Amino acid sequence: MAAVLAVTIFVVAFFFIATERADKVKTVLIAAGLMAVLGLIPGEKVFFSPHEGIDWNVIFLLLGMMIIVGVVKQTGLFDYLAIWSAKRSRGNPYRLMVMLMLITAVASPFLDNVTIIMLVAPVTLVVCRRLGISAQPFLIAEVLAANIGGAATLIGDPPNIIIASRAGLSFNDFLVHMAPIVVLVFALFVLFTRVLFRSALRTDPDSVEAVLALRERRAIRDPRLLVRSLIVLAAVVAGFCLHSVVHVAPSVIALVGAGVMVLVSGLDIGDILHEVEWPTLVFFMGLFVMVAGLVHTGVIAAVGAAASAWVGDDYFLAATALVFGSALLGAFVDNIPYTATMAPVVEGIVADAPDPETARSLWWAFALGADFGGNGTAVAASANVVALGIAARAGQRISFWQFTKYGAVVTVFSCVIAWAYVGVRYF
């Protein structure tokens, strides 16, 4: 009965989020409240469980990076990069889109994809405003590129960190097994965007000429603050890259970096906190609790057990189910809690594998499905939610279905290639 109730609440809430018949933040708060009040997720687990309830690592990582980005924004750096990007692309929308996607995809494996979206999105908004074009297709393309690029390394996408911990996989393991398919998928995706966003790749010649005449150096409003903030940002990025070595969580690194950034900036704390996307943070908290209701009542585990029984000892079928099943389920449940919940199920399947190579192939299939499935819907990955929040704040609102109609196509496209890769390389 509890499981049926949890599924009903989740489905109804997801319906209102998808159809946008109600504010998504209000929807998740009501759904999360019902989960807790009806006992589908105990109150102490909502706040204190590492596997069920709110993932505070994600929340505080986002909060820290929002503060850092808020300070950097005051220097004029985003305006500088926007003008530089527009001039290098000569105002050509497709060339600009490829440039921004390439920056995003190359940086995502070394920063997490949420962080890189928070750094690239403000630049995108400024350059599109300068060129007189809609930023929506560019932001969507960048998020899709971030979710693809982040799959390449252990630290690029949060599901990879969870999988590496469970499976005992190293940074180099991810480079050897994940990076080749990520490079192939991204290269094909870049070509595909020419068709996918063809109706949006237009610009105003007068706006282009005006931007090309600008001098980007004049966009820097506070050179001294820029130097100080870039030093702090570089230290935070280094901390992200070394977090598995120094054993400090990325969320702690982001919060410490935010604190230092506030100290060296000399800006009013109220002005800085005004830049924080509070509705996005609240939406995440509510979404985590909704998913926790499914986890605690055994819904997710039951789905995993059924899948395990269905594949039996056919390990290529198991790999197929992990690629496409993870992409499908992860599209409706944020891929971080989904991966944390399904990892023990996959571990059980892997334990019966006849040899280590087959066992590892299942982990790679799981990782590819979870990572690429992050593009499936507007709520499938943290980067998606963050980008939509930034866009809405800037007056460039992206609806659930506007994102999903592109994301779903890219998810199918990337998962088919990933499935073929797993089959050829491991089976």
Side-chain angles (χ1 to χ4, degrees):
M1 180 62 186
V4 173
L5 197 55
V7 170
T8 301
I9 293 172
F10 186 89
V11 169
V12 171
F14 202 90
F15 169 79
F16 280 104
I17 293 170
T19 59
E20 299 181 326
R21 294 192 178 187
D23 181 84
K24 66 179 183 180
V25 177
K26 294 177 183 177
T27 299
V28 297
L29 285 178
I30 292 170
L34 286 173
M35 291 281 192
V37 168
L38 296 174
L40 303 177
I41 174 72
E44 66 274 9
K45 286 188 177 292
V46 168
F47 297 105
F48 303 114
S49 172
H51 303 297
E52 299 176 10
I54 300 170
D55 190 332
W56 294 109
N57 284 313
V58 173
I59 300 300
F60 286 120
L61 170 65
L62 291 174
L63 175 61
M65 289 310 301
M66 285 175 181
I67 292 172
I68 290 171
V69 170
V71 173
V72 174
K73 185 178 178 181
Q74 306 304 316
T75 67
L77 177 62
F78 295 142
D79 295 88
Y80 172 91
L81 293 173
I83 296 169
W84 181 87
S85 301
K87 293 175 79 169
R88 291 298 175 279
S89 67
R90 306 297 300 173
N92 181 289
Y94 178 65
R95 197 179 302 159
L96 175 64
M97 182 177 280
V98 171
M99 182 186 297
L100 293 171
M101 287 193 305
L102 191 60
I103 292 170
T104 304
V106 169
S108 289
F110 305 102
L111 295 172
D112 67 278
N113 48 15
V114 174
T115 301
I116 192 59
I117 285 299
M118 293 186 66
L119 294 173
V120 175
V123 177
T124 305
L125 289 166
V126 175
V127 69
C128 290
R129 186 173 68 248
R130 295 272 189 177
L131 291 172
I133 56 179
S134 171
Q136 296 165 337
F138 292 84
L139 290 171
I140 293 171
E142 287 161 14
V143 173
L144 300 177
N147 287 330
I148 292 170
T153 67
L154 186 152
I155 61 173
D157 211 354
N160 289 359
I161 299 173
I162 297 168
I163 290 169
S165 175
R166 275 279 178 181
L169 300 169
S170 69
F171 190 91
N172 288 339
D173 288 332
F174 274 84
L175 280 180
V176 170
H177 293 272
M178 295 284 282
I181 183 60
V182 167
V183 171
L184 174 61
V185 170
F186 177 72
L188 294 174
F189 171 62
V190 169
L191 298 175
F192 188 36
T193 52
R194 190 69 184 253
V195 177
L196 201 62
F197 298 102
R198 61 186 179 279
S199 61
L201 299 177
R202 300 169 185 167
T203 191
D204 176 16
D206 293 335
S207 298
V208 172
E209 289 301 320
V211 170
L212 295 180
L214 293 172
R215 296 179 64 181
E216 54 263 46
R217 287 184 178 275
R218 292 182 178 177
I220 301 298
R221 296 189 290 272
D222 191 336
R224 292 181 64 185
L225 176 58
L226 175 61
V227 172
R228 292 196 294 266
S229 60
L230 285 179
I231 291 171
V232 176
L233 181 59
V236 170
V237 171
F240 287 154
C241 294
L242 297 172
H243 81 92
S244 59
V245 176
V246 298
H247 303 294
V248 178
S251 56
V252 175
I253 293 169
L255 283 177
V256 171
V260 174
M261 190 73 90
V262 170
L263 287 175
V264 303
S265 71
L267 298 172
D268 181 81
I269 188 65
D271 292 337
I272 296 172
L273 292 179
H274 182 70
E275 297 294 331
V276 174
E277 299 284 342
W278 297 109
T280 300
L281 296 180
V282 174
F283 178 76
F284 266 119
M285 287 188 267
L287 188 62
F288 277 131
V289 178
M290 283 170 54
V291 174
L294 298 181
V295 174
H296 189 74
T297 55
V299 174
I300 301 292
V303 171
S308 178
W310 176 61
V311 299
D313 58 359
D314 185 338
Y315 291 100
F316 179 63
L317 181 60
T320 301
L322 285 171
V323 172
F324 292 106
S326 295
L328 180 62
L329 289 174
F332 296 97
V333 180
D334 184 285
N335 61 3
I336 298 173
Y338 166 77
T339 305
T341 304
M342 288 300 294
V345 177
V346 177
E347 192 172 31
I349 299 173
V350 165
D352 297 327
D355 58 79
E357 185 66 18
T358 301
R360 285 201 168 194
S361 71
L362 298 180
W363 284 116
W364 300 129
F366 181 41
L368 288 167
D371 290 342
F372 291 161
N375 283 329
T377 68
V379 297
S382 304
N384 310 9
V385 178
V386 169
L388 266 62
I390 293 172
R393 190 183 181 106
Q396 294 277 339
R397 183 176 169 276
I398 300 170
S399 72
F400 180 94
W401 287 110
Q402 185 180 358
F403 181 95
T404 303
K405 71 180 180 181
Y406 294 111
V409 172
V410 172
T411 296
V412 172
F413 153 80
S414 54
C415 284
V416 168
I417 298 172
W419 170 73
Y421 169 79
V422 169
V424 170
R425 180 161 183 177
Y426 304 109
F427 293 95

